[in-house]
Amino acid sequence: MENMRAVLQLSGVSKKFGDIEANRDVSLSVAKGTIHAVVGENGAGKSTLAAIIYGMHRPDCGTMTVNGVPVQFDSPRDAIAAGIGMVHQHFMLVHPMTVTENIMLGCEQKGLFARLPLKAASEHVRRLSRQYGMEVEADARVETLSVGEEQRVEILKVLYRKASILILDEPTAVLTPQETVRLFGVLRSLRKEGKTILIITHKLDEVLDLAEFVTVMKKGGISGTVSCSQTSKQELARMMVGRDVLLRVENPPPSAGKTVLSVENLGYRNAKGLLKLDGTSFSVRSGEIFGIAGVEGNGQSELLSLLWGMHDRKGAVSGKIVLDGIDITGMTPASICALGVSHIPEDRLKHAVVASHSVSENLLFGRHREPRFHRGPGFDRQAVADYARNLAGRYDIRCSDPERQPLRSLSGGNQQKVVVGRELDRPGMKLLILAQPTRGVDIGAIEFIHKSIIEARDNGAAILLVSSELDELIALSSRIGCLYKGSMRRIFTETEVSGGRTEELLFKQEIGLHIT
C-alpha cells in the first residue's frame, strides 16, 4: 500500500459527543482505485468516521486531504464538490417522488421558478443505469421499488454527481444474497474505472471477498490496516473484539417437545387484493428452532404481521394460527404478548423502539405491565433503573447512562441489542419470533445473540427464526421451511439440516432452485 497513491488521508482525527469519544486519533490512508473496508464492533466509531469524511460532522481536531489537497468540510455539499459521495445505511430517498427526481434532488442547478430538465435527467439516469448494470426505471416512483432497487438509486445518485470516492455504510445489511452478489459486481466495475470505494461494514466474509485492504476500528481508534490477501476472518475478528470468536455457534441437538405454534393453511390478501400468503402451513415445537428461508418479499413480512397481530385489518385472512391450543388469529399484539410470545421485528425503528426515548425506556417497552416495575399507581423508578443497568451489562449494550441517554445516540447494532435483550429476557416465554435478529450487528455480538437464542431454546421456548442469512439459518435451526410466493415449498428435516457440508450445499442449491 505504501507504493500506491493515497486519494484520501486522515491524520489525528478525533470527535466527541458530550462525554462520548466516538473517534480517537484516527489516521487512515485510502489508495486510489481500491476497495477499502472499515470494520469494527458496534459503537467502534465507523459510522462517525464516515460522517466526518462526508462533511456531516466536523472533527474536533485532526486533518484530512483529498487528492493531496487539505480540506475542511462544513457540510455534505462541500464533500460532494470535492468528489465524495455517500450511500447511507438508511436510504435517504423521498418515496412519493420518481427515481429521476430523487437523483436530481439537491443538484437541480436552476432558479427558483425555472423549469427542471427532467427529460434530459431521465435519459442521463438511464445511461448511467445501463453503463453500470444497475437496471432501474428512471420514471418509477421510489415507493414501488424493492430494497435492492432503492440501493441502486442511491448509488446512481452518487454517480450522477460525478463522485470519484464512494462511501457505503453497511451496504448489504438489508440485501438478499442475490442482491449482494449483484452489488459486488457493480462495485468491482466501478473500481476498474478508477473509482475509490470505502465500505463500512461488519461482514467479514464480504470484506475478504471484495476489498483489497481492511482497517479495523476498536473503541473509536484504529487497531490496524492489513491487506485482505494476507489476513483471515479469524484474525480480523480477534482484532475487532480482542479475543477469539466462535465463527459458528456450538449447537447441540435439540430435544423438541409438544407443538406450541401451529399455522394451518394460512392465507392473506392485502387491502389491494394482492395475494401475499397462499395456504401456508407449518408448526413449531417447544425446544426447537424452526427457520424460514427465502428471498425477502415472498410473504415473510405478512406472515410475521399476522403472527404478531400487526396486519392491516382491511386485508382478508383465511386459515388459522394456534398457540398452545388457543386460536390467536386476529388477536391484538398485547393479547398475543400476554399469552407468552416475544417478538423481534424486521424493522426495529418502525416497530420495536422509539429512538428519541432513553435506553432504559426502550428496554421497558412492552414489559411495562409487569408487576416488578410498579410501585402503587406508578413505576418503581429504582427497579426500572436496576433492570436497565443489569440488562445493558448482560447484553453488552454500549451506553454511558441508560436512564438519560437517548436510544438514537447508540449505534445500529447496540439499538438491536436493546431489542434482543428486552425480548429474550421476557419471563414465561413460550414462543419467540425472531426476524433478522443479527441484522447490522457485529461478529462478537452475533456470537452472543446466537448463544442466547440457543439458551432460550434449551429452556423450552419454541422459536421461529426468519432470516435472509442462510448460514445463520443452517447454524441455528432444527428444521427449515422454504417460503416462495407466499407458500411453504418444502420443509427440510432435522436430518437434512444437520447433514454436514454436503447437505449444506444441497440446501443452498434447493433455495436457489425454488426462489431465484
Side-chain angles (χ1 to χ4, degrees), residues 310-347:
M310 287 283 288
H311 60 285
D312 184 351
R313 303 291 164 160
K314 295 179 181 177
V317 181
S318 59
K320 61 181 179 178
I321 304 166
V322 179
L323 175 70
D324 207 15
I326 299 172
D327 188 345
I328 64 170
T329 315
M331 279 190 180
T332 64
S335 300
I336 293 171
C337 175
L339 293 173
V341 180
S342 285
H343 178 221
I344 297 173
E346 298 175 280
D347 190 331

Short mmCIF file of all heavy atoms in Angstrom, two decimals, residues 310-347:
data_model
loop_
_atom_site.label_atom_id
_atom_site.label_comp_id
_atom_site.label_asym_id
_atom_site.label_seq_id
_atom_site.Cartn_x
_atom_site.Cartn_y
_atom_site.Cartn_z
N MET A 310 -50.27 -7.58 13.83
CA MET A 310 -49.99 -6.24 13.33
C MET A 310 -50.40 -6.05 11.87
O MET A 310 -50.06 -5.04 11.25
CB MET A 310 -48.49 -5.94 13.46
CG MET A 310 -48.02 -5.69 14.87
SD MET A 310 -48.47 -4.05 15.46
CE MET A 310 -47.33 -3.04 14.50
N HIS A 311 -51.16 -6.98 11.31
CA HIS A 311 -51.51 -6.89 9.90
C HIS A 311 -52.59 -5.84 9.66
O HIS A 311 -53.31 -5.43 10.57
CB HIS A 311 -52.01 -8.26 9.40
CG HIS A 311 -53.21 -8.76 10.13
ND1 HIS A 311 -53.14 -9.29 11.41
CD2 HIS A 311 -54.52 -8.81 9.79
CE1 HIS A 311 -54.35 -9.64 11.80
NE2 HIS A 311 -55.21 -9.36 10.85
N ASP A 312 -52.70 -5.41 8.43
CA ASP A 312 -53.72 -4.45 8.02
C ASP A 312 -55.09 -5.13 8.10
O ASP A 312 -55.34 -6.12 7.41
CB ASP A 312 -53.44 -3.99 6.58
CG ASP A 312 -54.41 -2.90 6.11
OD1 ASP A 312 -55.39 -2.64 6.81
OD2 ASP A 312 -54.18 -2.35 5.01
N ARG A 313 -55.96 -4.61 8.94
CA ARG A 313 -57.27 -5.25 9.16
C ARG A 313 -58.17 -5.16 7.94
O ARG A 313 -59.21 -5.80 7.89
CB ARG A 313 -57.96 -4.61 10.37
CG ARG A 313 -57.14 -4.66 11.65
CD ARG A 313 -57.00 -6.06 12.21
NE ARG A 313 -55.95 -6.17 13.21
CZ ARG A 313 -55.87 -7.14 14.11
NH1 ARG A 313 -56.78 -8.08 14.13
NH2 ARG A 313 -54.86 -7.18 14.96
N LYS A 314 -57.78 -4.34 6.95
CA LYS A 314 -58.57 -4.26 5.72
C LYS A 314 -58.29 -5.43 4.79
O LYS A 314 -59.01 -5.64 3.81
CB LYS A 314 -58.29 -2.94 5.01
CG LYS A 314 -58.73 -1.71 5.78
CD LYS A 314 -58.39 -0.44 5.03
CE LYS A 314 -58.81 0.80 5.83
NZ LYS A 314 -58.42 2.07 5.14
N GLY A 315 -57.24 -6.17 5.07
CA GLY A 315 -56.92 -7.34 4.27
C GLY A 315 -57.80 -8.53 4.66
O GLY A 315 -58.49 -8.51 5.68
N ALA A 316 -57.75 -9.58 3.84
CA ALA A 316 -58.57 -10.78 4.06
C ALA A 316 -57.69 -11.93 4.53
O ALA A 316 -56.71 -12.28 3.87
CB ALA A 316 -59.29 -11.17 2.78
N VAL A 317 -58.02 -12.50 5.70
CA VAL A 317 -57.26 -13.59 6.29
C VAL A 317 -58.06 -14.88 6.21
O VAL A 317 -59.26 -14.89 6.48
CB VAL A 317 -56.92 -13.29 7.77
CG1 VAL A 317 -56.09 -14.42 8.37
CG2 VAL A 317 -56.19 -11.96 7.90
N SER A 318 -57.40 -15.97 5.84
CA SER A 318 -58.01 -17.29 5.87
C SER A 318 -57.08 -18.25 6.61
O SER A 318 -55.89 -17.96 6.78
CB SER A 318 -58.29 -17.80 4.46
OG SER A 318 -57.10 -17.87 3.70
N GLY A 319 -57.61 -19.40 7.03
CA GLY A 319 -56.82 -20.31 7.83
C GLY A 319 -56.75 -19.83 9.27
O GLY A 319 -57.48 -18.91 9.68
N LYS A 320 -55.86 -20.43 10.06
CA LYS A 320 -55.78 -20.02 11.46
C LYS A 320 -54.38 -20.22 12.04
O LYS A 320 -53.57 -21.00 11.51
CB LYS A 320 -56.80 -20.74 12.31
CG LYS A 320 -56.68 -22.25 12.37
CD LYS A 320 -57.81 -22.82 13.25
CE LYS A 320 -57.74 -24.33 13.33
NZ LYS A 320 -58.80 -24.88 14.22
N ILE A 321 -54.15 -19.50 13.14
CA ILE A 321 -52.89 -19.58 13.89
C ILE A 321 -53.25 -20.02 15.30
O ILE A 321 -54.04 -19.37 15.98
CB ILE A 321 -52.19 -18.21 13.92
CG1 ILE A 321 -51.96 -17.67 12.51
CG2 ILE A 321 -50.87 -18.30 14.69
CD1 ILE A 321 -51.59 -16.20 12.47
N VAL A 322 -52.66 -21.12 15.73
CA VAL A 322 -52.98 -21.69 17.04
C VAL A 322 -51.74 -21.68 17.91
O VAL A 322 -50.69 -22.21 17.52
CB VAL A 322 -53.53 -23.13 16.91
CG1 VAL A 322 -53.83 -23.71 18.29
CG2 VAL A 322 -54.78 -23.14 16.03
N LEU A 323 -51.83 -21.06 19.09
CA LEU A 323 -50.74 -21.01 20.05
C LEU A 323 -51.12 -21.81 21.29
O LEU A 323 -52.04 -21.42 22.02
CB LEU A 323 -50.43 -19.55 20.42
CG LEU A 323 -49.37 -19.36 21.52
CD1 LEU A 323 -47.99 -19.74 21.01
CD2 LEU A 323 -49.37 -17.93 22.03
N ASP A 324 -50.43 -22.90 21.49
CA ASP A 324 -50.65 -23.73 22.68
C ASP A 324 -52.13 -24.04 22.89
O ASP A 324 -52.67 -23.94 24.00
CB ASP A 324 -50.08 -23.01 23.91
CG ASP A 324 -49.66 -23.98 25.00
OD1 ASP A 324 -49.54 -25.19 24.71
OD2 ASP A 324 -49.44 -23.54 26.14
N GLY A 325 -52.81 -24.38 21.79
CA GLY A 325 -54.21 -24.76 21.84
C GLY A 325 -55.20 -23.61 21.73
O GLY A 325 -56.41 -23.84 21.69
N ILE A 326 -54.72 -22.36 21.66
CA ILE A 326 -55.60 -21.19 21.60
C ILE A 326 -55.50 -20.56 20.21
O ILE A 326 -54.40 -20.29 19.72
CB ILE A 326 -55.21 -20.15 22.67
CG1 ILE A 326 -55.35 -20.76 24.07
CG2 ILE A 326 -56.08 -18.90 22.55
CD1 ILE A 326 -54.80 -19.86 25.17
N ASP A 327 -56.64 -20.34 19.58
CA ASP A 327 -56.67 -19.69 18.27
C ASP A 327 -56.40 -18.19 18.47
O ASP A 327 -57.21 -17.47 19.05
CB ASP A 327 -58.04 -19.90 17.61
CG ASP A 327 -58.06 -19.42 16.16
OD1 ASP A 327 -57.15 -18.68 15.76
OD2 ASP A 327 -59.00 -19.80 15.42
N ILE A 328 -55.24 -17.73 17.97
CA ILE A 328 -54.87 -16.32 18.16
C ILE A 328 -55.06 -15.51 16.88
O ILE A 328 -54.68 -14.33 16.84
CB ILE A 328 -53.42 -16.18 18.65
CG1 ILE A 328 -52.43 -16.70 17.60
CG2 ILE A 328 -53.23 -16.89 19.98
CD1 ILE A 328 -50.97 -16.36 17.93
N THR A 329 -55.64 -16.10 15.86
CA THR A 329 -55.84 -15.39 14.59
C THR A 329 -56.66 -14.11 14.83
O THR A 329 -57.76 -14.16 15.36
CB THR A 329 -56.57 -16.28 13.57
OG1 THR A 329 -56.01 -17.58 13.59
CG2 THR A 329 -56.49 -15.69 12.17
N GLY A 330 -56.09 -12.99 14.48
CA GLY A 330 -56.82 -11.72 14.62
C GLY A 330 -56.69 -11.06 15.96
O GLY A 330 -57.22 -9.96 16.17
N MET A 331 -56.01 -11.69 16.92
CA MET A 331 -55.81 -11.06 18.23
C MET A 331 -54.89 -9.84 18.12
O MET A 331 -54.12 -9.70 17.18
CB MET A 331 -55.18 -12.06 19.22
CG MET A 331 -56.15 -13.02 19.85
SD MET A 331 -55.32 -13.92 21.20
CE MET A 331 -56.63 -14.98 21.76
N THR A 332 -54.94 -8.95 19.12
CA THR A 332 -54.07 -7.78 19.16
C THR A 332 -52.69 -8.19 19.66
O THR A 332 -52.53 -9.22 20.34
CB THR A 332 -54.63 -6.72 20.10
OG1 THR A 332 -54.64 -7.24 21.44
CG2 THR A 332 -56.04 -6.31 19.69
N PRO A 333 -51.65 -7.39 19.36
CA PRO A 333 -50.32 -7.70 19.88
C PRO A 333 -50.25 -7.83 21.39
O PRO A 333 -49.57 -8.72 21.91
CB PRO A 333 -49.48 -6.52 19.38
CG PRO A 333 -50.17 -6.06 18.14
CD PRO A 333 -51.63 -6.26 18.42
N ALA A 334 -50.98 -6.97 22.12
CA ALA A 334 -50.96 -7.04 23.58
C ALA A 334 -51.53 -8.36 24.09
O ALA A 334 -51.00 -8.97 25.02
CB ALA A 334 -51.75 -5.86 24.17
N SER A 335 -52.61 -8.82 23.45
CA SER A 335 -53.21 -10.10 23.84
C SER A 335 -52.29 -11.27 23.53
O SER A 335 -52.17 -12.22 24.32
CB SER A 335 -54.55 -10.28 23.13
OG SER A 335 -55.45 -9.26 23.46
N ILE A 336 -51.62 -11.21 22.38
CA ILE A 336 -50.70 -12.28 22.00
C ILE A 336 -49.50 -12.29 22.94
O ILE A 336 -49.06 -13.35 23.40
CB ILE A 336 -50.25 -12.09 20.53
CG1 ILE A 336 -51.45 -12.30 19.59
CG2 ILE A 336 -49.13 -13.06 20.17
CD1 ILE A 336 -51.19 -11.94 18.15
N CYS A 337 -49.00 -11.12 23.26
CA CYS A 337 -47.87 -11.00 24.18
C CYS A 337 -48.21 -11.60 25.55
O CYS A 337 -47.40 -12.29 26.16
CB CYS A 337 -47.47 -9.54 24.32
SG CYS A 337 -46.18 -9.21 25.52
N ALA A 338 -49.43 -11.35 26.02
CA ALA A 338 -49.86 -11.84 27.33
C ALA A 338 -49.91 -13.37 27.40
O ALA A 338 -49.87 -13.93 28.49
CB ALA A 338 -51.22 -11.25 27.67
N LEU A 339 -49.96 -14.01 26.23
CA LEU A 339 -50.00 -15.47 26.18
C LEU A 339 -48.60 -16.08 26.18
O LEU A 339 -48.45 -17.30 26.10
CB LEU A 339 -50.77 -15.94 24.94
CG LEU A 339 -52.27 -15.63 24.92
CD1 LEU A 339 -52.88 -15.99 23.57
CD2 LEU A 339 -52.99 -16.38 26.04
N GLY A 340 -47.56 -15.22 26.26
CA GLY A 340 -46.19 -15.74 26.36
C GLY A 340 -45.41 -15.69 25.06
O GLY A 340 -44.56 -16.56 24.83
N VAL A 341 -45.68 -14.68 24.24
CA VAL A 341 -44.98 -14.55 22.96
C VAL A 341 -44.06 -13.33 23.00
O VAL A 341 -44.49 -12.24 23.39
CB VAL A 341 -45.98 -14.42 21.78
CG1 VAL A 341 -45.22 -14.29 20.46
CG2 VAL A 341 -46.92 -15.62 21.75
N SER A 342 -42.81 -13.51 22.59
CA SER A 342 -41.87 -12.40 22.41
C SER A 342 -41.60 -12.24 20.92
O SER A 342 -41.62 -13.22 20.17
CB SER A 342 -40.55 -12.69 23.14
OG SER A 342 -40.69 -12.51 24.52
N HIS A 343 -41.31 -11.01 20.52
CA HIS A 343 -41.18 -10.74 19.08
C HIS A 343 -40.06 -9.73 18.84
O HIS A 343 -40.05 -8.65 19.42
CB HIS A 343 -42.51 -10.18 18.56
CG HIS A 343 -42.49 -9.82 17.11
ND1 HIS A 343 -43.08 -8.68 16.61
CD2 HIS A 343 -41.93 -10.43 16.04
CE1 HIS A 343 -42.91 -8.63 15.30
NE2 HIS A 343 -42.20 -9.66 14.94
N ILE A 344 -39.12 -10.10 17.98
CA ILE A 344 -38.09 -9.17 17.49
C ILE A 344 -38.41 -8.91 16.03
O ILE A 344 -38.23 -9.79 15.19
CB ILE A 344 -36.68 -9.77 17.66
CG1 ILE A 344 -36.37 -9.99 19.14
CG2 ILE A 344 -35.63 -8.86 17.02
CD1 ILE A 344 -35.09 -10.72 19.41
N PRO A 345 -38.91 -7.71 15.69
CA PRO A 345 -39.39 -7.45 14.33
C PRO A 345 -38.27 -7.17 13.34
O PRO A 345 -37.11 -6.96 13.72
CB PRO A 345 -40.28 -6.21 14.51
CG PRO A 345 -39.68 -5.50 15.68
CD PRO A 345 -39.13 -6.57 16.58
N GLU A 346 -38.64 -7.19 12.05
CA GLU A 346 -37.67 -6.92 10.99
C GLU A 346 -37.09 -5.52 11.08
O GLU A 346 -35.90 -5.31 10.90
CB GLU A 346 -38.35 -7.05 9.61
CG GLU A 346 -38.91 -8.40 9.28
CD GLU A 346 -39.65 -8.36 7.96
OE1 GLU A 346 -40.81 -7.91 7.94
OE2 GLU A 346 -39.06 -8.77 6.95
N ASP A 347 -37.95 -4.54 11.34
CA ASP A 347 -37.54 -3.13 11.33
C ASP A 347 -37.69 -2.57 12.73
O ASP A 347 -38.79 -2.21 13.16
CB ASP A 347 -38.40 -2.34 10.34
CG ASP A 347 -37.88 -0.94 10.09
OD1 ASP A 347 -37.25 -0.37 11.01
OD2 ASP A 347 -38.10 -0.40 8.99
#
